[in-house]
Amino acid sequence: MASVVEYKGLKAGYHCGYCDSAAGKASCGMWAHSMTVQDYQDLIDRGWRRSGRYVYKPVMNQTCCPQYTIRCRSLQFQPSKSHKKVLKKMLKFLAKGEISKGNCEDEPMEPSMEDAVAGDMALINKLDLQCDLNLQESLEREVKKKGKSTKKEESNEFIQSQDKNEELGSGEPSHAVDVHTAPKPGKGADLSKPPCRKAKEIRKERKRLKLMQQSPAGGPEGFQAPREPKTKPNQPKSLEELIFESLPEDASHKLEVRVVRSSPPSSQFKATMLESYQVYKRYQMVIHNHSPDEPTVSQFTGFLCTSPLEPETPPNGPDCGYGSFHQQYWLDGKIIAVGVIDILPYCVSSVYLYYDPDYSFLSLGVYSALREIAFTRQLHEKASQLSYYYMGFYIHSCPKMRYKGHYRPSDLLCPETYVWVPIEQCLPSLENSKYCRFNQDPEAADEGRSRDPDRLQVLYKKAILPYGVFKQQQREPGEEAAVLQYASLVGQACSERMLLFRN
């Protein structure tokens, strides 16, 4: 199935959720009626990002806070000292119920999903009216039916829903975690440099990957991490060893991480959607100071549940397939956090995270990022091309948003030539100017740029035709300028594959 998009053009002069500028933000956007995972992969490799079905690209040399696409090379990732502290804190809480005091070691909160595309809210709400109404209406019915339940009733419902889902066997992968004794903190990587790897470590990594392939739980019913052999005293523990430490038999808590397909919604996703919505609503009220009647059901489903990505399950892909998913964190039978992710041909792309504010002390922002990196490495075992963890946008001009640069090694996307450049090489330039071209070759150009707009594919009156033919039939003012702008932003390959809907 081909991608079908409706280009909406440039939107400038609206509120920025990062610096709070009233009219400093600028971006171009399009509504994606449907999109293949390969097209979206190519788009995010050109600086695009989605919020629900709305796909947008910051105008980097105009916007108040330039947003650079950032990716972590997950196979080479080594947790830093602060990352290890977060994992150790989780282990202590699970094993003994200990709650650490003082600095929660978490990262700053990103703006709400609504703030991220604030200037386009009216457009999004208008376009989203006919999208996924069944999902929205289903959730609204559940909200009305539940009414004001007590916490005890909600807890019972959770347990029942969980048991029911397990009996149904949804075919969704589930990450079961039996985390036991706390690891030693270790020394951690120098954040100013990419981590070095010795040949012995690389051999050990290969052995770990081989063990994961042999794991009997690596099929579509679950992603149970295998037991790791103990590392030698002089070797740092891997990310997986730090996450999947064994718990004592009398552990205080049990944590389980499940990955459920959100679009189209799987049976397991539908069964847990109300609980997930309640967590998101509480998160928005406490963290982002939203009123009790926000967010609405339509905002929740529109931003975090619906997706234009068409699910794909090729034989050489991950067992769960490609597309949009929710990674649910279940603590003692209750959802405490949800990571919204896209699984694409070359990466796991983080869309958003929300969590129960009562568990802020667990640094769930950092913890979930580490789990998603480990998940990326696991998917790589079946889909060898899938090896990157995309963290969204890195915003150097906003100091509180620089935390994404702490996951090393990582790269930033050059906003002019769309090549990846190690973040260490980018930081000196960003200290001098908030907008930078990272490619140091002055002769280098965008290799994927639009070279022949006439080959762009147009969907017009239920017919597909090249733009070269379509433009001969149209004399609308501004039509050609809009199409050429779209072609320059998506590149030649996507412009030939995706169908540009014209009214």
Side-chain angles (χ1 to χ4, degrees), residues 288-335:
H288 291 297
N289 299 315
H290 283 203
S291 63
D293 57 348
E294 292 183 287
T296 63
V297 171
S298 62
Q299 286 174 328
F300 173 69
T301 57
F303 282 109
L304 300 173
C305 302
T306 62
S307 167
L309 300 186
E310 296 294 333
E312 296 181 25
T313 53
N316 60 342
D319 292 313
C320 58
Y322 297 117
S324 298
F325 299 82
H326 279 196
Q327 195 164 39
Q328 302 173 334
Y329 293 77
W330 290 78
L331 181 68
D332 303 329
K334 165 184 168 182
I335 294 179

Side-chain angles (χ1 to χ4, degrees), residues 344-391:
L344 304 174
Y346 306 136
C347 72
V348 169
S349 176
S350 175
V351 178
Y352 201 66
L353 171 80
Y354 56 94
Y355 56 84
D356 186 334
D358 288 346
Y359 296 91
S360 295
F361 64 89
L362 289 174
S363 305
L364 292 170
V366 174
Y367 183 77
S368 64
L370 297 173
R371 289 299 302 257
E372 287 172 6
I373 291 173
F375 184 50
T376 304
R377 287 152 66 131
Q378 187 171 1
L379 295 179
H380 170 76
E381 291 318 296
K382 180 69 185 296
S384 60
Q385 288 184 312
L386 198 165
S387 61
Y388 296 102
Y389 173 56
Y390 282 46
M391 297 175 278

Side-chain angles (χ1 to χ4, degrees), residues 428-462:
S429 299
L430 288 171
E431 286 295 326
N432 296 322
S433 174
K434 64 181 182 180
Y435 173 73
C436 298
R437 170 193 168 109
F438 299 136
N439 193 326
Q440 297 301 307
D441 180 1
E443 303 298 323
D446 171 16
E447 293 296 329
R449 65 186 179 278
S450 174
R451 299 171 187 268
D452 187 358
D454 284 353
R455 294 174 60 86
L456 180 151
Q457 296 296 295
V458 174
L459 178 61
Y460 178 64
K461 293 184 176 179
K462 299 183 180 180

Side-chain angles (χ1 to χ4, degrees), residues 116-380:
V117 289
D120 298 298
M121 278 299 298
L123 170 65
I124 292 172
N125 290 337
K126 180 180 178 182
L127 293 172
D128 204 26
L129 285 176
Q130 301 303 320
C131 296
D132 303 283
L133 285 178
N134 291 336
L135 183 66
Q136 180 179 326
E137 289 169 357
S138 173
L139 181 51
E140 286 174 340
R141 283 197 300 271
E142 286 298 311
V143 171
K144 290 178 182 178
K145 186 171 68 175
K146 295 290 179 183
K148 297 181 179 179
S149 304
T150 64
K151 287 188 176 180
K152 183 176 180 181
E153 289 170 338
E154 289 173 0
S155 175
N156 290 338
E157 184 65 24
F158 261 125
I159 295 169
Q160 292 167 0
S161 296
Q162 184 180 353
D163 292 341
K164 184 177 180 181
N165 290 334
E166 288 172 357
E167 290 170 6
L168 287 172
S170 67
E172 300 292 343
S174 123
H175 237 314
V177 184
D178 288 325
V179 189
H180 302 266
T181 64
K184 295 180 180 180
K187 287 186 179 178
D190 183 351
L191 290 182
S192 65
K193 301 175 182 177
C196 297
R197 305 186 77 209
K198 296 180 180 179
K200 188 181 289 186
E201 289 181 77
I202 295 173
R203 289 196 297 272
K204 179 177 172 295
E205 178 75 5
R206 288 174 181 163
K207 185 175 181 180
R208 180 188 70 79
L209 297 177
K210 185 176 181 181
L211 282 171
M212 291 185 75
Q213 284 182 313
Q214 296 171 349
S215 170
E221 290 296 325
F223 282 106
Q224 174 75 49
R227 296 295 178 192
E228 296 276 351
K230 291 291 182 181
T231 54
K232 295 180 180 179
N234 62 340
Q235 292 290 331
K237 287 186 177 181
S238 70
L239 175 62
E240 288 74 13
E241 288 174 312
L242 292 168
I243 290 174
F244 296 107
E245 283 275 358
S246 348
L247 274 177
E249 290 297 324
D250 59 347
S252 298
H253 301 285
K254 179 182 179 182
L255 178 68
E256 186 180 13
V257 181
R258 302 177 186 173
V259 181
V260 297
R261 185 177 288 280
S262 56
S263 181
S266 66
S267 58
Q268 188 175 10
F269 176 81
K270 290 178 180 177
T272 59
M273 189 169 59
L274 174 60
E275 313 299 346
S276 185
Y277 167 65
Q278 291 171 339
V279 172
Y280 178 64
K281 189 169 184 176
R282 178 164 165 72
Y283 171 81
Q284 293 294 78
M285 288 173 58
V286 176
I287 303 299
H288 291 297
N289 299 315
H290 283 203
S291 63
D293 57 348
E294 292 183 287
T296 63
V297 171
S298 62
Q299 286 174 328
F300 173 69
T301 57
F303 282 109
L304 300 173
C305 302
T306 62
S307 167
L309 300 186
E310 296 294 333
E312 296 181 25
T313 53
N316 60 342
D319 292 313
C320 58
Y322 297 117
S324 298
F325 299 82
H326 279 196
Q327 195 164 39
Q328 302 173 334
Y329 293 77
W330 290 78
L331 181 68
D332 303 329
K334 165 184 168 182
I335 294 179
I336 64 166
V338 177
V340 182
I341 59 173
D342 293 328
I343 300 178
L344 304 174
Y346 306 136
C347 72
V348 169
S349 176
S350 175
V351 178
Y352 201 66
L353 171 80
Y354 56 94
Y355 56 84
D356 186 334
D358 288 346
Y359 296 91
S360 295
F361 64 89
L362 289 174
S363 305
L364 292 170
V366 174
Y367 183 77
S368 64
L370 297 173
R371 289 299 302 257
E372 287 172 6
I373 291 173
F375 184 50
T376 304
R377 287 152 66 131
Q378 187 171 1
L379 295 179
H380 170 76

